[in-house]
């Protein structure tokens, strides 16, 4: 296993990591995902967010995007992530940016029940996280439970099978942690089974192909500094992971979809 998230979040404030994010995404939200800046800009609209919204982000990492929403929309947001350095960094950023009254972050394993009452949120979203979580139907049912009537959910899944993939490719693609691959149509079926309706699925495979290449190349340019921080085996392992994501998505053997659904009122 190669440790992407502890390295990314533990080194969040370090200059080469900031430069890699800027070069990869164009805007720095502390991302470790395949979300382009265009997609980041569309999410508030897809979720129907407004200043009175109460929002849940599942797998918020170091919190940059949640803080951006709290700042630009003015909504209340809670971010959950299993990663301790990520949550510590998110809490620190909320304090230093004066957003702690609107944005709260908690370390939480979302494969367990969500720590909220029924009908708490107007919207719940998750960028490239559900593939890491065992028990997707249970998690979708939990999201349904904590949403208010007419609440919306949005999540992306970059591990929808699109074609032939070798065991070696599956190994490299899975080399940073637990992963669950799904056949086309499975997320729609699970959303439906969890109670959601008005489903939309958008093919965003091209975004993953583009981001993985930019991320790989931005890291390669700073190889010496990143090797010092991560160690050479981890640096090379993460580079192979990013190359593999690029190959599989640009050849459409792995697909990424963005799903939006509603809890009917
Ligand atoms: C691909 S990253 C995406 C992070 C962020 N959403 C972004 O767009 O940059 C996946 C995130 O899921 C988190 N994660 C993985 N398993 C989790 C779990 N069981 N509970 C909560 N978070 C989890 C990881 O720590 C990581 O921050």
């Amino acid at each position: 296993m190669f440790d992407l998230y502890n390295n990314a979040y533990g080194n969040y404030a370090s200059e080469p990591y900031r430069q890699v994010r800027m070069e990869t995404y164009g805007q720095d939200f502390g991302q470790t995902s395949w979300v382009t800046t265009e997609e980041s800009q569309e999410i508030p609209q897809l979720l129907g967010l407004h200043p009175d919204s109460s929002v849940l982000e599942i797998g918020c990492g170091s919190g940059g995007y949640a803080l951006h929403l709290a700042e630009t929309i003015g909504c209340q947001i809670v971010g959950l992530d299993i990663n301790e350095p990520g949550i510590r960094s998110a809490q620190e950023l909320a304090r230093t940016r004066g957003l702690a009254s609107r944005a709260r972050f908690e370390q939480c394993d979302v494969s367990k029940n969500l720590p909220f009452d029924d009908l708490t949120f107007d919207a719940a979203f998750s960028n490239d996280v559900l593939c890491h979580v065992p028990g997707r139907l249970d998690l979708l049912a939990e999201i349904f439970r904590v949403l208010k009537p007419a609440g919306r959910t949005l999540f992306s899944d970059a591990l929808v099978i699109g074609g032939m993939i070798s065991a070696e490719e599956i190994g490299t693609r899975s080399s940073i942690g637990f992963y669950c691959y799904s056949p086309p149509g499975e997320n729609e079926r699970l959303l439906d089974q969890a109670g959601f309706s008005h489903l939309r699925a958008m093919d965003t495979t091209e975004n993953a192909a583009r981001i993985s290449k930019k991320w790989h190349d931005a890291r390669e340019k700073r190889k010496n500094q990143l090797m010092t921080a991560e160690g050479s085996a981890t640096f090379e392992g993460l580079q192979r992971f990013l190359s593999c994501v690029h190959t599989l998505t640009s050849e459409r053997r792995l697909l990424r979809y963005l799903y939006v659904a509603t809890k009917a009122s």
Side-chain angles (χ1 to χ4, degrees):
M1 286 289 170
F2 301 107
D3 195 338
L4 174 63
Y5 300 126
N6 278 318
N7 277 300
Y9 303 143
N11 292 304
Y12 171 84
S14 130
E15 189 53 21
Y17 285 84
R18 193 194 65 78
Q19 289 170 4
V20 166
R21 292 194 297 269
M22 281 305 292
E23 214 164 291
T24 304
Y25 302 97
Q27 201 170 354
D28 182 11
F29 297 133
Q31 304 93 320
T32 56
S33 63
W34 319 116
V35 181
T36 60
T37 296
E38 297 79 42
E39 191 175 311
S40 301
Q41 286 164 354
E42 281 168 25
I43 288 174
Q45 204 191 336
L46 291 167
L47 286 170
L49 300 188
H50 50 78
D52 294 332
S53 301
S54 163
V55 184
L56 172 63
E57 180 175 9
I58 290 175
C60 60
S62 51
Y65 185 60
L67 291 167
H68 170 74
L69 294 181
E71 198 162 43
T72 54
I73 308 282
C75 56
Q76 292 286 331
I77 189 157
V78 180
L80 303 178
D81 202 288
I82 199 169
N83 186 282
E84 204 266 330
I87 291 298
R88 210 176 336 114
S89 164
Q91 290 168 338
E92 178 62 22
L93 284 171
R95 263 193 305 277
T96 54
R97 289 169 58 178
L99 290 166
S101 63
R102 267 184 263 161
R104 187 160 62 79
F105 298 96
E106 284 176 30
Q107 188 180 6
C108 172
D109 177 355
V110 301
S111 67
K112 315 276 180 350
N113 288 351
L114 297 177
F116 306 107
D117 293 338
D118 297 358
L119 314 177
T120 300
F121 298 100
D122 299 296
F125 72 97
S126 190
N127 291 328
D128 294 328
V129 178
L130 267 58
C131 58
H132 287 305
V133 181
R136 190 166 310 177
L137 177 59
D138 290 345
L139 176 52
L140 292 175
E142 275 294 281
I143 293 172
F144 188 85
R145 180 183 68 76
V146 301
L147 278 176
K148 296 176 189 169
R152 288 191 201 170
T153 194
L154 172 154
F155 74 90
S156 47
D157 181 6
L159 291 184
V160 178
I161 305 282
M164 306 268 281
I165 308 176
S166 72
E168 192 186 350
E169 287 168 328
I170 294 264
T172 306
R173 182 63 182 80
S174 310
S175 63
I176 68 157
F178 174 88
Y179 270 122
C180 202
Y181 296 74
S182 50
E186 184 66 359
N187 286 310
E188 290 90 327
R189 193 183 70 75
L190 294 176
L191 276 161
D192 181 60
Q193 211 178 324
F196 286 102
S197 51
H198 305 305
L199 179 70
R200 227 178 121 184
M202 289 161 266
D203 186 335
T204 57
T205 308
E206 164 58 25
N207 292 359
R210 195 150 37 102
I211 293 291
S212 52
K213 172 93 175 87
K214 285 187 168 189
W215 194 352
H216 174 277
D217 293 354
R219 283 172 50 86
E220 199 63 37
K221 276 197 210 164
R222 296 160 182 86
K223 183 174 181 159
N224 292 340
Q225 289 154 290
L226 297 186
M227 267 192 179
T228 305
E230 296 170 359
S232 54
T234 298
F235 175 83
E236 295 297 356
L238 294 178
Q239 293 301 83
R240 282 194 297 278
F241 165 77
L242 292 170
S243 289
C244 180
V245 174
H246 179 67
T247 302
L248 292 175
T249 49
S250 57
E251 295 174 8
R252 295 190 59 81
R253 289 187 286 136
L254 259 193
L255 309 174
R256 180 179 186 271
Y257 277 89
L258 184 66
Y259 304 90
V260 187
T262 308
K263 176 172 180 170
S265 43

